Amino acid sequence: MANPSIMDTLFQRSLEDLIKGIRLQSPDSSTPTSSFLCKSMEEIRREIKSTDPHTKSIALLKLTYLNSIYGFDMSWAAFHVVEVISYPQFPLKKIGYSAATASFHDGTDVLLLLTNQLRKDLSSSNGFEVSLALQCLSVIGTTDLCRDLCNEIFTLLSSTRIYVKKKAIAVVLRVFRKYQDAVGVCFKRLVDNLESSEPQGMSAVVGVFCELTLRDPEGYLPLAPEFYRILIDCKNNWVLIKVLKIFAKLAPLEPRLAKKIVDPICEIMRRTMAKSLMFECIWTVVSSLSEYESAVKLAVVKARELLVDDDPNLKYLGLKALSSLAFNHPWAVVENKDAVISSLSDADPNIKLASLRIVMSMVSEDNVVEISRVLINYSLKSDPDFCNEILRSILTTCSRNYYEVVFDFDWYISLLGEMSRIPYCQRGEEIENQLIDIGMRVKDARQELVRVARDLLIDPALLGNPFLHRILSAAAWVSGEYVELSKSPFELMEALLQPRTSLLPPLIRAVYIQSAFKVLVYCLHSYLLQKEATASSFAADGNTPWIENSAIQGPEGSDLATSELDREFNPRDFSPSFENNGHSISKLSTHKSMVNLLNLTEMALGPLMESHEVEIQERVRNILGVKELVKQEILDHSAQKEENSEKKESDASKIIELIYHSFSEELGPVSASAQARITVPNGLVLKDNLAELEIICGDIELPVSTSFSLGTLHSREKEVLSLDDAASNEDSEPSTESTSLLSEHYKRHKLYYLLERKMMPFPLIIHLPMKVRFRIIRSMISMIL
Amino acid sequence: MAIRFVLMVNKQGQTRLAQYYEYLTLEERRALEGEIVRKCLARTEQQCSFVEHRNYKIVYRRYASLFFLVGVDNDENELAILEFIHLLVETMDRHFGNVCELDIMFHLEKAHFMLEEMVMNGCIVETSKSNILAPIQLIDKAP
């Protein structure tokens, strides 16, 4: 850039010109990138190098303006700032100091150069110069500066010029923070100032002590008598507010102090006209003096005055005061219940949130039903954000500590169902988690759960709402898992297979299909059993053993499963056990209805057999495979004569039995630390770092894998029994290296390969893409069957 | 620090005065100003003047075309800060005579000076209008 010339000095634009120039620009050019501002910045860069103090200062002034309002960086001008500060003329010095305040920070390296100048100015006879230096120091003071200038500050603390003393007191706060040793030097003088109680300096002194006390209350306890004196004598509201804050921190440390200040504070509360002071009193009582009943009562009365005021600010503060009382003094909230509840429909979201918080803190076993009812009503009337906030807080509060406040789970489950139907509800995931959680933990509630789930599943309108999909997934899972408690499994089947389920995302559809599978197996099983039972009731007792055998042969499952089997499979109690379960499947499972069921399954799921979504495809093929198996059997039955009642159990029945048993096994919640408790078997090396795989799969792109399970029949969405996450990392096209290894292996061990060359050994399947994997496994299963 | 910053912003969101009592880089300042201004300017008259932002609060009030926003710690008395804002406005009014946005724009350094007299290190140190204005008037009179 050109050197600053005399032209610059003569024609320099003042700050006022600059501002006028900016204002003349069209609105969209006042952005930092606009050409006018850039041009001005260039001018400034030239001008600031001038040796003429006046020019330099004006340039600096403009620069400070642009920095503060438009965010232009001015750290490059740091040295110029120091120069300008050193000018003797006061207005120029002022410009320099304000530039320093605006732009210097701990990292500015020219700060050290300022030390001497500050020292000079601090000792100046001109009070204003001193004040400039003090103000600057209060913002930019670093540890070094504070240390070097500590003595000067110390002198100023007892200056006769009030104006200067006041500022010195204020600076002390920064000095103490940055340079701890200063405390020893200056503290005494600070306390002297406190005791002198000069009106002008009072605000500053008390302000400083307020900040200091907030950080370290214990150290300032000895000064309590001084503060007490101020509390009683001072009439300045600002000072009183600060003193109250100090006492709020000191009172909990010293009960005798608390006793002493209670009365003066109550007196102030009664007398004062200033709302700010009154609020401060309320807050002090509520936060630190809450053992004094009379004070608290007075505070509550005053808080009520705030609460019913029309001014939203006062209302908000009243709610704030009440909310901190809610824990220890619930009567205060109960007294003002109406005001709090009416605030739930206030125009201001802050007020609504504050009142919601108060209401939630009042929830206990006795009133949870009533409160939830009131809140749900409000949520229906509110905007989406607040509605969801209400639902979220109800869900969180009720599920706290494993549903501590809920004693009637039937009611809670129907409440969850009701919440799902609220138009704005977006809390699908939490509701889903809770439905499943309660289902697993609370056996008695399962009946109600199945009922609510049925209501949700039947309604076709809900399928179109994306926020509800997770809840529907939970409903479907619950229906499948506890299908024996359902009143009408056929209805369930229709609901799970209805055409509108195509609106669901694939993973959730997969849950639906899996549940349909469970329901189908259940119906088939009951039907087949019934068939055998009616057949056996004609025959001799010879037929009964096989049923009992199957009961004994039951799955290697838990005692729970076998006891269920004992209950249900005892042919002597055949009919009563079914009726005990509260549904009349024995009446419904006519041959015709089973055929209908199977046809429905085929119709609904047939088209999905070639679906691109592996989750869906796998499950559909499972269910249709089983259907094929039993179809023959069922269709045969219509032609079967009663002489064939001695026929051995068919393959189909065996399979249905097996599947049913595996579905009956109950899966409980797994604790979070369960995996960690299992010791790693010898010889298994678990590696964190799979970088070695890079060698094999180097340049191949890994497909994005959704969670999949190498399907055992009763795997759920949640418990992904995936072939380790490590396996999904290895999911890639086989590289040429591994195919050649494969072919070598095949040549050597052809004898042991089950099938043709196309078939790969099981472990190496993990190198293949998921779709191919599934095809292989499915074909394996179909070949076995 | 009880008071963290003082901002004066017009209805279009343009900053007219910015005073920070704790150090923030330029990007942080810009981001902060943008966020807060958006929040406060979107609120209506019926809503209260306190907004919770991150781990502190903002107390604001509108005077004609200018919004005064003060960022304070969570334990600060909100009503006292509202009174402080009013005090600031009254002081400027007394000095400039019917103060308006233009006065602040063209005499930014005076507005800063007044604010510096009132607040140091984030604490309110002077609350008397005459005391605040006395030094400014002296400086103006000086040659």
Side-chain angles (χ1 to χ4, degrees):
Chain A
M1 297 182 198
N3 281 329
S5 65
I6 194 111
M7 298 287 279
D8 289 325
T9 315
L10 284 178
F11 293 104
Q12 187 187 36
R13 282 197 294 173
S14 70
L15 180 60
E16 201 170 311
D17 299 330
L18 176 66
I19 298 175
K20 283 194 191 141
I22 294 175
R23 277 172 61 81
L24 283 175
Q25 303 292 313
S26 56
D28 56 2
S29 73
S30 341
T31 55
T33 53
S34 87
S35 53
F36 178 74
L37 287 174
C38 288
K39 216 161 51 94
S40 314
M41 273 299 281
E42 287 213 10
E43 276 178 13
I44 291 170
R45 277 180 195 260
R46 263 198 341 259
E47 292 162 6
I48 207 165
K49 292 191 192 164
S50 152
T51 45
D52 172 37
H54 194 79
T55 319
K56 205 197 225 354
S57 318
I58 300 286
L60 188 59
L61 184 64
K62 287 193 284 186
L63 183 59
T64 315
Y65 180 83
L66 289 179
N67 167 278
S68 148
I69 304 288
Y70 294 101
F72 277 97
D73 175 42
M74 63 182 274
S75 49
W76 52 268
F79 189 70
H80 298 290
V81 175
V82 177
E83 280 185 295
V84 173
I85 291 180
S86 62
Y87 292 150
Q89 299 96 322
F90 181 77
L92 306 182
K93 203 190 274 280
K94 189 156 87 91
I95 292 174
Y97 271 122
S98 55
T101 317
S103 65
F104 280 14
H105 54 90
D106 281 351
T108 311
D109 29 12
V110 299
L111 268 178
L112 293 168
L113 300 172
L114 262 186
T115 319
N116 261 332
Q117 186 58 46
L118 280 170
R119 190 172 284 138
K120 258 189 5 191
D121 286 327
L122 283 174
S123 333
S124 156
S125 52
N126 181 343
F128 296 118
E129 281 183 9
V130 179
S131 83
L132 280 183
L134 285 170
Q135 256 151 8
C136 184
L137 190 59
S138 78
V139 179
I140 67 169
T142 62
T143 313
D144 295 324
L145 278 177
C146 293
R147 186 183 50 228
D148 295 334
L149 300 169
C150 183
N151 286 328
E152 278 76 16
I153 310 263
F154 175 72
T155 324
L156 290 171
L157 277 176
S158 50
S159 158
T160 46
R161 295 168 288 181
I162 306 279
Y163 178 69
V164 165
K165 191 156 68 143
K166 175 180 73 172
K167 294 198 185 228
I169 294 171
V171 165
V172 158
L173 192 59
R174 175 126 188 149
V175 172
F176 277 14
R177 206 154 57 91
K178 289 281 181 181
Y179 176 59
Q180 266 77 32
D181 293 343
V183 178
V185 176
C186 302
F187 194 70
K188 175 101 193 5
R189 290 252 172 118
L190 197 61
V191 174
D192 290 338
N193 278 314
L194 183 65
E195 285 160 5
S196 71
S197 68
E198 247 161 4
Q200 247 212 342
M202 193 48 72
S203 262
V205 166
V206 175
V208 169
F209 275 109
C210 183
E211 285 298 312
L212 292 172
T213 319
L214 284 178
R215 295 215 192 111
D216 171 32
E218 306 232 348
Y220 301 93
L221 203 47
L223 292 171
E226 281 306 317
F227 296 131
Y228 183 75
R229 189 180 50 80
I230 299 175
L231 181 67
I232 304 290
D233 295 335
C234 187
K235 299 287 171 247
N236 182 333
N237 287 349
W238 298 92
V239 172
L240 283 173
I241 290 178
K242 295 247 172 67
V243 169
L244 283 173
K245 282 200 199 292
I246 296 178
F247 276 126
K249 282 281 178 294
L250 293 180
L253 300 173
E254 177 62 62
R256 289 173 299 169
L257 180 64
K259 206 156 55 133
K260 220 167 167 209
I261 58 174
V262 166
D263 289 323
I265 292 183
C266 290
E267 194 46 45
I268 297 177
M269 236 196 297
R270 272 184 276 262
R271 254 193 305 121
T272 184
M273 300 298 297
K275 288 262 173 353
S276 55
L277 186 56
M278 186 177 82
F279 179 69
E280 195 62 44
C281 295
I282 297 176
W283 192 251
T284 312
V285 168
V286 158
S287 54
S288 322
L289 298 173
S290 51
E291 317 79 73
Y292 293 87
E293 283 298 323
S294 54
V296 174
K297 279 207 182 67
L298 180 59
V300 172
V301 166
K302 294 286 175 186
R304 189 186 172 78
E305 277 175 35
L306 291 177
L307 207 55
V308 300
D309 199 299
D310 282 331
D311 185 348
N313 292 336
L314 297 177
K315 215 187 276 204
Y316 178 76
L317 292 176
L319 286 171
K320 199 170 131 179
L322 271 188
S323 68
S324 59
L325 272 180
F327 192 67
N328 285 326
H329 300 266
W331 55 265
V333 180
V334 170
E335 250 179 42
N336 296 309
K337 202 164 60 144
D338 304 322
V340 172
I341 298 216
S342 64
S343 306
L344 278 174
S345 52
D346 197 275
D348 182 358
N350 285 353
I351 292 183
K352 285 201 280 200
L353 280 175
S355 52
L356 180 62
R357 252 174 288 177
I358 297 182
V359 171
M360 291 323 290
S361 65
M362 294 300 302
V363 164
S364 73
E365 259 195 21
D366 313 318
N367 56 19
V368 63
V369 178
E370 188 198 327
I371 290 186
S372 310
R373 174 70 13 223
V374 168
L375 284 177
I376 299 276
N377 285 342
Y378 267 99
S379 71
L380 290 168
K381 289 188 264 178
S382 320
D383 56 284
D385 288 331
F386 192 54
C387 173
N388 280 303
E389 190 58 40
I390 291 182
L391 295 179
R392 189 196 63 83
S393 40
I394 297 179
L395 286 168
T396 329
T397 315
C398 288
S399 65
R400 203 176 297 148
N401 272 341
Y402 300 109
Y403 311 99
E404 200 177 33
V405 289
V406 180
F407 59 92
D408 181 5
F409 278 97
D410 286 344
W411 159 79
Y412 187 59
I413 291 172
S414 59
L415 183 72
L416 288 175
E418 205 182 315
M419 271 199 236
S420 316
R421 288 176 185 278
I422 291 178
Y424 291 126
C425 171
Q426 290 175 13
R427 306 240 72 99
E429 198 166 324
E430 282 147 57
I431 298 182
E432 175 199 15
N433 287 340
Q434 289 196 10
L435 282 172
I436 295 186
D437 200 34
I438 295 180
M440 287 205 291
R441 291 181 198 274
V442 186
K443 279 180 73 175
D444 297 331
R446 285 179 188 165
Q447 178 101 21
E448 181 66 19
L449 198 57
V450 169
R451 191 193 67 76
V452 166
R454 170 215 168 257
D455 287 341
L456 286 172
L457 288 173
I458 285 193
D459 189 348
L462 297 182
L463 286 162
N465 182 347
F467 291 115
L468 295 183
H469 285 166
R470 304 224 60 147
I471 305 178
L472 291 175
S473 149
W477 184 82
V478 159
S479 312
E481 189 73 4
Y482 309 121
V483 62
E484 62 272 9
L485 295 171
S486 157
K487 289 207 180 65
S488 165
F490 287 88
E491 192 183 41
L492 265 180
M493 205 61 182
E494 279 171 15
L496 286 168
L497 295 175
Q498 62 181 295
R500 263 175 83 91
T501 53
S502 56
L503 291 172
L504 292 170
L507 287 178
I508 299 188
R509 193 108 196 256
V511 177
Y512 266 59
I513 296 172
Q514 190 70 357
S515 294
F517 191 11
K518 291 180 191 171
V519 175
L520 178 67
V521 164
Y522 176 74
C523 295
L524 281 171
H525 186 258
S526 326
Y527 172 70
L528 287 172
L529 266 184
Q530 182 192 29
K531 217 175 59 168
E532 292 298 337
T534 40
S536 70
S537 64
F538 291 116
D541 279 353
N543 268 335
T544 51
W546 82 259
I547 297 176
E548 276 169 352
N549 281 341
S550 62
I552 295 162
Q553 271 170 28
E556 50 284 356
S558 55
D559 291 336
L560 193 62
T562 36
S563 61
E564 276 184 348
L565 291 174
D566 285 341
R567 219 176 350 106
E568 289 189 65
F569 290 91
N570 195 334
R572 280 168 271 278
D573 303 327
F574 198 74
S575 330
S577 73
F578 270 91
E579 276 158 25
N580 280 346
N581 283 342
H583 63 271
S584 46
I585 192 166
S586 48
K587 298 191 188 74
L588 286 177
S589 57
T590 60
H591 176 252
K592 188 157 178 295
S593 54
M594 287 313 296
V595 171
N596 280 344
L597 194 64
L598 291 172
N599 286 338
L600 171 66
T601 317
E602 176 155 13
M603 224 172 38
L605 297 178
L608 291 175
M609 280 223 313
E610 301 298 328
S611 159
H612 288 298
E613 291 292 335
V614 286
E615 301 287 338
I616 294 183
Q617 198 188 124
E618 185 210 357
R619 287 169 174 77
V620 164
R621 283 184 181 257
N622 284 338
I623 189 175
L624 288 179
V626 169
K627 178 207 67 127
E628 279 302 316
L629 280 173
V630 292
K631 204 168 170 182
Q632 274 315 105
E633 163 105 356
I634 302 286
L635 290 177
D636 275 348
H637 177 72
S638 54
Q640 199 174 30
K641 312 231 179 32
E642 277 160 15
E643 303 101 56
N644 286 348
S645 55
E646 296 231 7
K647 181 170 170 311
K648 291 201 315 292
E649 52 176 303
S650 63
D651 291 328
S653 306
K654 249 194 287 197
I655 289 177
I656 297 289
E657 189 103 1
L658 270 173
I659 301 178
Y660 179 76
H661 291 171
S662 59
F663 278 158
S664 313
E665 218 175 298
E666 185 153 312
L667 300 166
V670 180
S671 92
S673 53
Q675 178 69 56
R677 284 198 229 124
I678 299 176
T679 49
V680 178
N682 281 334
L684 177 64
V685 178
L686 292 174
K687 285 206 176 133
D688 277 330
N689 183 7
L690 296 171
E692 292 162 9
L693 288 178
E694 278 299 297
I695 310 166
I696 307 175
C697 322
D699 48 5
I700 290 149
E701 275 198 16
L702 302 175
V704 176
S705 56
T706 51
S707 65
F708 79 97
S709 55
L710 202 54
T712 46
L713 291 174
H714 54 188
S715 59
R716 290 197 291 138
E717 296 284 296
K718 302 275 179 314
E719 302 160 359
V720 176
L721 304 171
S722 59
L723 209 58
D724 308 321
D725 287 338
S728 50
N729 277 345
E730 295 173 86
D731 181 21
S732 59
E733 313 281 345
S735 62
T736 44
E737 199 180 294
S738 49
T739 24
S740 62
L741 282 174
L742 221 47
S743 31
E744 270 184 43
H745 192 264
Y746 183 74
K747 280 200 209 91
R748 287 203 303 272
H749 305 284
K750 203 186 319 198
L751 192 57
Y752 301 102
Y753 279 43
L754 289 179
L755 300 164
E756 304 283 343
R757 178 79 222 266
K758 284 189 290 245
M759 187 66 192
M760 301 209 184
F762 195 81
L764 288 174
I765 285 183
I766 53 179
H767 286 291
L768 298 174
M770 269 190 288
K771 290 187 189 176
V772 181
R773 251 185 268 190
F774 275 114
R775 293 249 160 81
I776 291 173
I777 289 163
R778 210 177 15 258
S779 49
M780 276 170 70
I781 292 179
S782 55
M783 282 184 213
I784 293 170
L785 293 177
Chain B
M1 302 293 133
I3 298 185
R4 295 180 181 226
F5 57 81
V6 177
L7 294 173
M8 293 186 204
V9 179
N10 75 355
K11 279 201 283 203
Q12 281 79 43
Q14 290 171 319
T15 312
R16 293 295 174 216
L17 181 146
Q19 177 76 291
Y20 289 87
Y21 295 101
E22 51 180 6
Y23 179 66
L24 293 173
T25 64
L26 283 175
E27 292 82 40
E28 285 171 352
R29 286 185 196 188
R30 236 190 308 226
L32 180 78
E33 280 168 37
E35 267 181 62
I36 294 177
V37 163
R38 237 176 310 126
K39 261 193 194 177
C40 294
L41 263 57
R43 292 168 71 80
T44 67
E45 293 294 321
Q46 282 76 38
Q47 296 176 341
C48 64
S49 303
F50 321 125
V51 174
E52 278 170 48
H53 181 81
R54 308 231 182 128
N55 58 341
Y56 50 88
K57 297 189 284 218
I58 301 175
V59 181
Y60 71 93
R61 182 165 269 177
R62 187 177 79 85
Y63 287 85
S65 65
L66 209 55
F67 280 84
F68 289 75
L69 299 99
V70 180
V72 295
D73 284 338
N74 268 326
D75 46 12
E76 187 63 59
N77 183 326
E78 294 94 330
L79 291 175
I81 298 293
L82 276 178
E83 285 183 28
F84 161 72
I85 296 177
H86 194 68
L87 179 67
L88 180 60
V89 173
E90 280 187 342
T91 312
M92 288 197 291
D93 193 55
R94 209 203 271 191
H95 182 76
F96 292 112
N98 278 334
V99 65
C100 63
E101 196 183 329
L102 281 179
D103 288 319
I104 300 178
M105 278 175 71
F106 280 102
H107 301 284
L108 190 58
E109 67 280 7
K110 291 238 179 66
H112 267 287
F113 201 83
M114 263 183 260
L115 196 50
E116 273 168 7
E117 288 291 315
M118 293 170 78
V119 181
M120 264 181 86
N121 261 335
C123 298
I124 301 174
V125 294
E126 186 58 70
T127 51
S128 147
K129 285 195 277 273
S130 21
N131 286 342
I132 298 171
L133 290 174
I136 302 181
Q137 282 155 355
L138 275 176
I139 292 174
D140 279 347
K141 273 196 250 164

